[in-house]
Amino acid sequence: MKINKLLYLHIFFWTIYVTGSVLIPYFVFHSRNTIFNITFFITSIVCFYTNYFVVVPKFFDANKIYKSVIVFFLSACCFVGVRYCAEEWFLPTFFGVRNYAKETPFIFYFFDNIFYSSTTIFISTTFWFFRHFMNAEVEKTELVKAKKNAELQALKTQINPHFIFNSLNNIYSLVYQNSDKALPAIEELSRLLRYSTKDLGEDTITLDKEIGYIDSLTALEKLRIKNPELLMIEKNINHPKLNISPMILVPFVENAFKHGDFRNKGFEMKLSDEKQILHFYLLNYKKERMKDSLSGIGIENVKKRLEILYPKKYELNIKNSETEFIVDLKIDLRNE
């Protein structure tokens, strides 16, 4: 898109140029110098793009003034040389006309045309700077994009080991207690691992798959909780095929199970997607020994990913009091 805009700028400039230097003098003022206006126009085009593609890119150096002087001098010489060949050799030889008197010294011709060449050289150099700036912006954007992608991949690799570590701890406790819930827990974990190995490498997954993570995680955690009826879950999903980055919601739920108090208190979770805006609300009560703890790696990870993936398209409010941990997250998933 930016390259097209630059092309349009060149077309616009040369349209104005040929209109003012050739067409108006010929059709409006009936100029008798039309042939010289045409040679001047052709000379300007040749020198403009010689300066634009060759001279400035090769010789210009903002840190060395003498190179800038060389750039101007070379471009001026190019202009003078091309115009001299056209008006003082080609036209006299084939048409018997010349722009300057035959006795005109070349040194006068040279310095006289430096003045005429200055406008063309200046505009050509300005256009080159504009193109150089646009290319630099494109490269900068690509570098930022590549950096974000690399950062996202690094963040994703943090999620899986952390998630597995917490799940294995839960299963270990069931095995240690010789609980008959251990085998179902292992089966649930294997299902979660199939989800994660298949979907975690994707840029986005459907919303129902992300919620499937949560359902599987909740089913796994219910096996170790004495009062699973304390888990209050409300889902109102009307657009299950909306796309969302994987493992955006799961770390909050994982954090709630890891630090929550499920002896006499559970947690409350609500999920809705009204107008394709995902609303995730989670309230859990903290264990006594966890009252002053931080939210953990997983949530900090999600904060970074939200900032990268959904800039200005999400609202995240976290309340971390002595007894409660509340997450209120909204993500605009339209056009995702």
Side-chain angles (χ1 to χ4, degrees), residues 34-47:
T34 300
I35 191 168
F36 299 120
N37 292 337
I38 293 174
T39 57
F40 185 86
F41 175 68
I42 294 173
T43 300
S44 296
I45 290 179
V46 171
C47 295

Side-chain angles (χ1 to χ4, degrees), residues 227-328:
N227 301 306
E229 68 277 2
L230 296 177
L231 306 182
M232 307 298 293
I233 300 175
E234 180 182 331
K235 292 184 289 186
N236 184 19
I237 301 299
N238 299 311
H239 306 90
K241 297 306 177 183
L242 287 174
N243 288 327
I244 187 172
S245 180
M247 289 289 186
I248 283 290
L249 305 180
V250 173
F252 293 115
V253 181
E254 181 188 14
N255 181 78
F257 282 120
K258 182 178 180 181
H259 300 299
D261 183 357
F262 296 98
R263 291 171 300 178
N264 299 309
K265 302 174 183 179
F267 80 175
E268 178 184 354
M269 180 173 65
K270 296 180 181 179
L271 277 163
S272 65
D273 62 350
E274 185 178 355
K275 296 181 180 180
Q276 299 186 30
I277 297 177
L278 177 65
H279 187 191
F280 173 78
Y281 175 86
L282 179 62
L283 161 67
N284 71 281
Y285 298 92
K286 298 166 68 173
K287 296 177 183 177
E288 190 70 25
R289 65 178 182 276
M290 296 293 182
K291 286 186 177 181
D292 296 322
S293 67
L294 297 175
S295 58
I297 295 174
I299 290 182
E300 290 304 316
N301 186 313
V302 174
K303 288 180 180 178
K304 293 178 182 178
R305 294 177 66 211
L306 284 169
E307 190 61 34
I308 294 173
L309 294 166
Y310 302 101
K312 299 181 181 180
K313 294 184 67 176
Y314 81 96
E315 295 179 13
L316 175 61
N317 296 302
I318 294 179
K319 179 182 177 182
N320 191 4
S321 67
E322 289 188 1
T323 58
E324 297 176 345
F325 190 85
I326 300 175
V327 176
D328 194 344

Side-chain angles (χ1 to χ4, degrees), residues 201-212:
E202 301 293 330
D203 292 332
T204 60
I205 60 173
T206 56
L207 182 57
D208 58 349
K209 283 189 176 182
E210 179 74 2
I211 295 174

Side-chain angles (χ1 to χ4, degrees), residues 108-122:
F108 175 83
Y109 190 94
F110 178 82
F111 284 104
D112 189 43
N113 277 274
I114 284 181
F115 170 77
Y116 293 115
S117 68
S118 60
T119 301
T120 300
I121 295 170
F122 175 77

Side-chain angles (χ1 to χ4, degrees), residues 6-271:
L6 189 60
L7 177 61
Y8 296 148
L9 183 62
H10 280 257
I11 294 173
F12 175 75
F13 169 72
W14 288 115
T15 301
I16 296 298
Y17 196 98
V18 73
T19 301
S21 64
V22 178
L23 299 180
I24 291 179
Y26 179 76
F27 290 105
V28 177
F29 300 107
H30 307 289
S31 173
R32 297 180 179 180
N33 297 321
T34 300
I35 191 168
F36 299 120
N37 292 337
I38 293 174
T39 57
F40 185 86
F41 175 68
I42 294 173
T43 300
S44 296
I45 290 179
V46 171
C47 295
F48 183 100
Y49 288 107
T50 300
N51 181 69
Y52 184 80
F53 287 114
V54 179
V55 180
V56 177
K58 186 173 182 179
F59 293 96
F60 180 79
D61 189 342
N63 298 319
K64 296 179 180 179
I65 298 178
Y66 76 89
K67 282 195 173 183
S68 301
V69 174
I70 292 174
V71 168
F72 176 82
F73 182 75
L74 288 174
S75 297
C77 288
C78 174
F79 186 95
V80 174
V82 172
R83 193 179 186 198
Y84 185 85
C85 290
E87 296 182 348
E88 304 305 317
W89 175 78
F90 180 80
L91 292 181
T93 302
F94 294 96
F95 296 94
V97 295
R98 62 173 64 245
N99 193 16
Y100 287 73
K102 188 174 182 179
E103 299 79 14
T104 302
F106 179 78
I107 192 68
F108 175 83
Y109 190 94
F110 178 82
F111 284 104
D112 189 43
N113 277 274
I114 284 181
F115 170 77
Y116 293 115
S117 68
S118 60
T119 301
T120 300
I121 295 170
F122 175 77
I123 296 175
S124 174
T125 303
T126 301
F127 274 42
W128 181 85
F129 276 117
F130 186 58
R131 187 187 70 165
H132 181 72
F133 172 77
M134 290 176 64
N135 290 338
E137 285 297 309
V138 170
E139 290 177 1
K140 181 180 178 182
T141 301
E142 291 298 323
L143 286 173
V144 170
K145 184 178 179 180
K147 181 180 178 182
K148 285 184 177 181
N149 288 336
E151 184 175 352
L152 282 172
Q153 291 303 319
L155 291 173
K156 283 184 178 181
T157 58
Q158 291 179 13
I159 293 175
N160 206 21
H162 186 60
F163 175 73
I164 295 173
F165 176 77
N166 290 337
S167 298
L168 287 176
N169 273 345
N170 296 337
I171 294 175
Y172 174 80
S173 64
L174 293 175
V175 173
Y176 183 78
Q177 297 168 11
N178 292 321
S179 172
D180 56 1
K181 296 179 180 180
L183 185 58
I186 293 173
E187 292 176 352
E188 199 65 48
L189 178 59
S190 66
R191 190 152 67 96
L192 284 169
L193 290 177
R194 282 196 298 271
Y195 281 144
S196 62
T197 54
K198 182 179 179 181
D199 296 327
L200 195 57
E202 301 293 330
D203 292 332
T204 60
I205 60 173
T206 56
L207 182 57
D208 58 349
K209 283 189 176 182
E210 179 74 2
I211 295 174
Y213 280 113
I214 296 174
D215 291 341
S216 296
L217 178 60
T218 302
L220 180 62
E221 294 291 346
K222 278 183 177 180
L223 296 174
R224 71 175 181 86
I225 295 175
K226 293 181 180 179
N227 301 306
E229 68 277 2
L230 296 177
L231 306 182
M232 307 298 293
I233 300 175
E234 180 182 331
K235 292 184 289 186
N236 184 19
I237 301 299
N238 299 311
H239 306 90
K241 297 306 177 183
L242 287 174
N243 288 327
I244 187 172
S245 180
M247 289 289 186
I248 283 290
L249 305 180
V250 173
F252 293 115
V253 181
E254 181 188 14
N255 181 78
F257 282 120
K258 182 178 180 181
H259 300 299
D261 183 357
F262 296 98
R263 291 171 300 178
N264 299 309
K265 302 174 183 179
F267 80 175
E268 178 184 354
M269 180 173 65
K270 296 180 181 179
L271 277 163

